[in-house]
Amino acid sequence: MRIPSTQALRALDSFARHGSVWRAADELHLTRSAVSHQLRLLERDLGFDLLERIGKGVALTPRGQRYASDVRKALTVLGDAVTRDAGTGVGGSFAISCTPGFASLFLCTHIGEFRQMYPDVALRILTPRRLDDVSNADADAFIAFGVGNWPNRAVEPLCEISFTPLCSPTLLNKVGGFSRPADVLRANLLHLDDTEDWARWLALSKVENPDTEGGIFFSDMNLVFSAAIAGQGIAMGDELTSRRALSEGRLVRPFDIAIKSPRSYYLVSEHAKTSHPVLEAFGGWLRSKLSENPVRPY
């Protein structure tokens, strides 16, 4: 059986991930014509069409998509073998996709320690648009926030959390304090994407007919906390990501009532990458940091 050239396979993998010849050429430090030539040679060797013309551009055929997926897995295995057998310990580049709140409010406050432990690892931190998104082909692993349902992926629970209202001391003084749960409606409710967490907390607190739609909505937990710390409203936060702001007095808890989130943080990866040396090192280090900083239920 004739095996296609590695350069042609890398051209296909890059084109599949980026969706364009020019981006693949830029990544591989080749000309566009060289990438196109490699793809044509690969089609000739395989005996079936990888590309089809759509309008003024080209895209992978369904069979080409399946083959590109297999090629990416094979290239990953080859890369892992090089890393394991190089004899230089854990090293190489590795990309982690992490939810913005977890990344900025927890991971980025400790990540320098990982770098000291593994100086030969070039770690890249990416952030997704959705908290449960594990689709970024440029990421080798994901710290995702969801219910744990990612089919055909290796999924490891990292941390369960609970939510409770948090606000700045300035806001608390401005409104004259909160004596009962319904008092939170006297301030702007700050939401991350939707009203689900506030609606559940208000229901648990037996607040009747609350209007949660009139608050302020943000797409990033950093923005929610920034607004809360600036006294612009009251947020729903968890002990993991709000720990520093609470310890420094920038945020306070006006109530002891908390709701357990139906979602948790998970470490997610392709099954083929679970034994990757960098992922094993990063996962072990992350579990250690979380055990040193356990999340206490509110």
Side-chain angles (χ1 to χ4, degrees), residues 34-52:
V35 171
S36 297
H37 180 66
Q38 290 294 334
L39 294 175
R40 287 195 299 271
L41 289 178
L42 186 57
E43 284 185 319
R44 187 192 66 185
D45 288 346
L46 295 174
F48 60 83
D49 291 335
L50 293 169
L51 305 174
E52 59 183 348

Side-chain angles (χ1 to χ4, degrees), residues 29-298:
H29 304 292
L30 298 172
T31 64
R32 299 181 194 180
S33 60
V35 171
S36 297
H37 180 66
Q38 290 294 334
L39 294 175
R40 287 195 299 271
L41 289 178
L42 186 57
E43 284 185 319
R44 187 192 66 185
D45 288 346
L46 295 174
F48 60 83
D49 291 335
L50 293 169
L51 305 174
E52 59 183 348
R53 185 162 294 280
I54 298 179
K56 296 183 179 180
V58 293
L60 290 174
T61 64
R63 189 173 184 181
Q65 292 175 358
R66 293 193 297 272
Y67 185 73
S69 177
D70 290 338
V71 166
R72 181 161 180 77
K73 294 175 183 177
L75 291 176
T76 298
V77 171
L78 289 173
D80 292 350
V82 171
T83 302
R84 284 195 300 270
D85 298 334
T88 57
V90 178
S93 61
F94 202 80
I96 298 287
S97 173
C98 182
T99 61
F102 189 100
S104 63
L105 300 169
F106 181 82
L107 186 60
C108 288
T109 63
H110 300 288
I111 197 63
E113 178 183 301
F114 178 82
R115 173 68 177 171
Q116 288 181 335
M117 294 172 64
Y118 301 98
D120 294 328
V121 174
L123 194 64
R124 190 156 58 110
I125 308 297
L126 314 173
T127 55
R129 292 185 177 181
R130 297 193 326 273
L131 302 182
D132 61 350
D133 184 12
V134 296
S135 64
N136 189 345
D138 292 330
D140 296 296
F142 304 82
I143 298 174
F145 187 65
V147 296
N149 182 28
W150 291 281
N152 303 317
R153 300 274 184 147
V155 179
E156 177 187 346
L158 288 175
C159 181
E160 295 182 344
I161 62 170
S162 296
F163 289 117
T164 194
L166 300 173
C167 67
S168 72
T170 301
L171 177 69
L172 201 61
N173 293 331
K174 181 179 178 180
V175 300
F178 298 118
S179 60
R180 57 194 180 95
D183 290 343
V184 298
L185 301 177
R186 293 192 279 117
N188 290 319
L189 300 185
L190 308 179
H191 305 282
L192 177 62
D193 291 330
D194 56 44
T195 63
E196 177 187 348
D197 295 328
W198 267 116
R200 292 180 62 234
W201 187 86
L202 291 167
L204 178 67
S205 304
K206 297 181 172 55
V207 177
E208 297 181 358
N209 303 316
D211 177 16
T212 59
E213 300 295 333
I216 306 172
F217 294 80
F218 300 88
S219 62
D220 188 315
M221 196 63 200
N222 294 293
L223 302 179
V224 176
F225 278 157
S226 291
I229 290 170
Q232 303 305 298
I234 183 167
M236 292 294 287
D238 66 90
E239 199 265 340
L240 178 69
T241 56
S242 63
R243 178 178 294 152
R244 173 167 290 186
L246 286 168
S247 65
E248 294 174 351
R250 291 179 293 149
L251 290 175
V252 295
R253 287 187 59 202
F255 299 101
D256 292 330
I257 305 170
I259 53 168
K260 182 179 179 181
S261 173
R263 293 169 290 179
S264 302
Y265 287 106
Y266 294 87
L267 184 61
V268 184
S269 66
E270 295 180 4
H271 288 287
K273 294 187 177 182
T274 54
S275 59
H276 192 291
V278 178
L279 180 55
E280 290 183 337
F282 180 81
W285 170 81
L286 182 59
R287 287 188 292 273
S288 174
K289 296 310 297 181
L290 289 171
S291 65
E292 291 176 10
N293 301 269
V295 177
R296 299 177 296 275
Y298 279 127

